[in-house]
Amino acid sequence: PRVELAWAIKAHQHAQVYFNLISSVEPKFLKLTQVDDLIYREFREVFRELRVDLLNPEELKSEPAKAKWRPFCLRFEGLVEDFNFGTLLRLDSRQEYSEENTIFG
């Protein structure tokens, strides 16, 4: 529980920084890492059917999902500094960040 809480705190801090970035730059020009295109391409290969506009928590946190997410994240060890950090995600991208619409993954 303490490790997950520490990750959640760090994710919240990162979320504030990234929210400020995405709010001030047109998203098509924003690059968060030097390998954003590679990450997205591989993400779509591994998670072809995953809807990112309306997330289902089971597709993120179930045991079968975790078995897919772990190897995917490990691909970026050494390429992305915080490759295995948790992140805050909106479940429904049409809605604002709120406690009900946010999941820690």
Side-chain angles (χ1 to χ4, degrees):
R2 284 190 288 183
V3 171
E4 189 165 317
L5 177 61
W7 275 21
I9 291 168
K10 189 73 166 175
H12 182 264
Q13 292 168 344
H14 281 191
Q16 289 176 317
V17 171
Y18 289 128
F19 185 78
N20 290 338
L21 278 171
I22 64 174
S23 298
S24 62
V25 176
E26 192 172 340
K28 68 180 179 180
F29 298 117
L30 182 63
K31 296 290 184 186
L32 300 176
T33 75
Q34 294 181 351
V35 292
D36 284 1
D37 294 333
L38 171 66
I39 293 169
Y40 184 72
R41 191 170 48 251
E42 293 197 20
F43 169 78
R44 277 296 160 211
E45 285 179 20
V46 174
F47 300 99
R48 286 189 174 112
E49 304 300 318
L50 182 66
R51 288 185 61 185
V52 295
D53 61 333
L54 189 60
L55 292 173
N56 175 349
E58 276 298 302
E59 292 177 319
L60 302 173
K61 295 202 169 210
S62 69
E63 287 306 314
K66 288 178 183 180
K68 287 179 80 173
W69 280 106
R70 282 187 193 106
F72 173 77
C73 291
L74 288 173
R75 292 177 182 190
F76 304 103
E77 185 174 12
L79 293 175
V80 176
E81 183 179 342
D82 298 329
F83 76 98
N84 66 343
F85 271 24
T87 190
L88 297 173
L89 302 166
R90 284 182 296 165
L91 294 170
D92 185 339
S93 65
R94 297 166 296 179
Q95 297 179 21
E96 297 293 325
Y97 278 102
S98 68
E99 189 173 336
E100 300 79 28
N101 192 40
T102 304
I103 188 169
F104 178 72

